[in-house]
Structure formats: structure tokens, C-alpha cells
Amino acid sequence: MKPEDDPWLINAHKNAEHLAGEIEKLASLTDPIRQNLPIITKYQDFWNKAKQITGLFKELKPLAHDDRDLLWNQFNTLCREVKENQKSEYGTLESVSRSHFDEIIKHVELAQFPAGAPPRNIHALVERGQELKTAGDLLGKYKHEMLAKHKKTCFDRIQATRTLHDGLWNTLNAGKPHPKSENRSRVQKNLEVNTERYQKAATALENFQLTAAHIRKFLASSDDPEKRARATAQLADVERRINEIKAGIQNFEKWIEEDERTLKEE
């Protein structure tokens, strides 16, 4: 039997090619790291992929010993480089994340009311509510540049303050002679805002889906390994944004439905 006809060698070669391709994808994830971009998730993305490749080294059989050693060395070289970068850059990442954290918490604190001094009118609550909305918008904007511990603290503080505001709304409305009228106005405003945000998100989703389609078309026709690696990384980022936008759209749809139902009931 000729070596090229040996089933073991054929499968081993296929497995080696598969592993090599996955390591190329991993290498493409080092671009934002090497370019020193302030994106916290760049390390998370890299190590998630690295974990997947570690599993492939255990699962893919057969695999020629020489191929395995060569690929394992390439893989370890990438991991060591990223680990060293992550160590040296952590201070910068911590600083960037802390800066965003401080900005968000500042708005959360501005949304608070002094202890024992709840708002006396809806105008005061609306003003504090705008600060809370700004805090939430900033968290969405900066979440890819923030450490997990900072994001969690901001999210928890925003949620707790939002719950407090909801209770204050109920209290104010209960004490008003015409609560339904003011509540209807507030719900109508929320409905208009959420409808506008829904429309913008739908447009953004369509644009990202078109971008993803173009990248997939390019991947289907390109044979250049370097360009394919970059395009694959770009596609992963675009698909992540698509999923985020879809999740946002689902929230907008739920809020719009709730507001419309409230208006009909009143």
C-alpha cells in the first residue's frame, strides 16, 4: 500500500489541516491585542478559542506525532505571547474600565434621592430618571471596554435604582388627583421613545446582516489564508453584534407591547 493510500495517514493529515486552520483563526484574534485596542473582550475571545483548540488536541485522532508537536508548539507560542501581553496590559485595561465605571456610577448617584427625602413631584423623578437612563446607555456603550467586576457592579446599581424609581412612580401616582392622565402621558412618551429605538435597531440589524452576507460571500470565494482569517474574525464580531441587536429588539418589542396594552386598558 502506498503511503498516500494509508487510511490512517489520510485521516491524520485531515486532522492536522483542521487543527492548523483553527490555530490560524486563533492567530487572527491576536490582531486587536497586538494593536493595543482597548477592548476587554479581546482576551476573552482569544482564550475561549484557545480552550476549544485544547479540546481538539485531545479529541482529534489519529494525528501524526510530528504534526502534533509542530501544531502544539505554534499554539503554545501564541498563548504565551497573549498571556504576556495580558499581564503587561492589565493595568491599562483596569484604568480604562475604572474610568468608564466612575462615569457610569456618577450618573447612577445623580439618579438617587437623599435618604428620607423622596421626590415631591413628577418633574424631579423625571430628571433623576434621565440620569439613570444615561447610566444604562453608557454601560451598553462601554461594556466591551470594561472588566467583568466593574460591569456587574454598574448593572446591579442601575437595576436597584430602577426598582426604586418604579416604586416612587407608583407612590407619586397614587397621591395624585388625576394619576391616570399623568401615567398615560408617561407611558405614551415611553412608547414613542421605544418605538424610535426599535426602528433604529431594526435598521442597524439589517445593515449588519448585509455586512455578514458580504463576508460569507467573500469567504466562499477566497483562497487567501491570511485574508480568510481576517474575514473570519470580522464575521465573528459582526455576528456577535447581530445577536446583541436581536436581543435589544426583543426587549423593545416587549416594552412596546406592554405600553400599548397599558394605554388600551386606561
Side-chain angles (χ1 to χ4, degrees):
M1 179 185 298
K2 296 180 180 179
E4 59 268 24
D5 295 330
D6 186 334
W8 190 94
L9 288 176
I10 292 173
N11 288 330
H13 181 65
K14 286 182 179 178
N15 288 336
E17 285 187 333
H18 179 58
L19 262 175
E22 293 300 301
I23 292 173
E24 278 189 19
K25 294 177 184 176
L26 183 68
S28 72
L29 295 176
T30 64
D31 287 344
I33 296 172
R34 289 169 173 164
Q35 294 168 20
N36 200 28
L37 299 178
I39 304 173
I40 302 296
T41 55
K42 62 189 177 184
Y43 291 111
Q44 178 184 337
D45 293 341
F46 180 90
W47 291 118
N48 285 345
K49 186 66 177 178
K51 182 178 180 180
Q52 177 189 349
I53 292 174
T54 300
L56 288 176
F57 273 106
K58 297 177 182 179
E59 297 165 8
L60 286 179
K61 297 178 181 180
L63 188 63
H65 183 75
D66 289 345
D67 287 338
R68 189 187 189 284
D69 285 348
L70 176 63
L71 293 167
W72 184 252
N73 286 335
Q74 291 176 359
F75 174 64
N76 271 332
T77 298
L78 277 175
C79 290
R80 281 195 299 269
E81 177 190 349
V82 170
K83 189 174 183 179
E84 288 303 314
N85 275 333
Q86 191 170 7
K87 283 182 180 179
S88 63
E89 195 183 348
Y90 184 82
T92 301
L93 296 177
E94 173 83 24
S95 176
V96 170
S97 181
R98 169 60 69 174
S99 175
H100 295 324
F101 172 86
D102 290 343
E103 182 179 4
I104 292 168
I105 292 300
K106 178 187 71 175
H107 288 285
V108 173
E109 290 175 347
L110 289 172
Q112 302 288 337
F113 290 92
R120 297 180 179 180
N121 56 63
I122 288 180
H123 178 69
L125 188 51
V126 168
E127 283 187 341
R128 303 297 174 101
Q130 184 57 48
E131 294 291 348
L132 187 61
K133 178 182 181 300
T134 299
D137 290 344
L138 289 174
L139 180 59
K141 178 181 178 181
Y142 294 136
K143 64 183 178 180
H144 294 307
E145 298 179 16
M146 295 177 68
L147 299 174
K149 61 181 182 180
H150 290 156
K151 285 191 289 188
K152 184 179 186 307
T153 299
C154 287
F155 178 81
D156 290 346
R157 291 282 300 275
I158 289 170
Q159 289 299 102
T161 306
R162 184 171 288 127
T163 299
L164 176 63
H165 278 213
D166 288 345
L168 292 172
W169 271 112
N170 291 336
T171 300
L172 283 175
N173 287 334
K176 282 288 184 178
H178 303 291
K180 287 187 176 181
S181 176
E182 290 187 354
N183 186 59
R184 183 178 183 85
S185 176
R186 180 173 64 86
V187 173
Q188 183 65 46
K189 184 175 178 60
N190 286 341
L191 177 60
E192 292 171 358
V193 170
N194 286 328
T195 300
E196 182 180 355
R197 294 171 71 184
Y198 170 86
Q199 291 169 346
K200 289 181 179 179
T203 300
L205 177 61
E206 183 178 351
N207 290 336
F208 274 106
Q209 287 174 330
L210 287 173
T211 299
H214 288 312
I215 296 174
R216 293 191 188 98
K217 185 176 181 180
F218 169 82
L219 288 171
S221 61
S222 174
D223 294 322
D224 187 317
E226 185 176 347
K227 290 182 179 179
R228 284 182 59 84
R230 287 198 299 267
T232 299
Q234 183 183 5
L235 179 60
D237 185 64
V238 170
E239 288 177 336
R240 182 167 56 248
R241 289 289 294 120
I242 287 174
N243 289 333
E244 291 174 351
I245 294 171
K246 284 182 176 179
I249 286 176
Q250 287 180 346
N251 285 332
F252 293 144
E253 289 175 338
K254 181 183 70 175
W255 295 334
I256 289 171
E257 182 181 348
E258 289 173 353
D259 288 340
E260 289 177 338
R261 183 169 62 249
T262 299
L263 291 174
K264 288 179 180 178
E265 290 173 353
E266 292 187 358

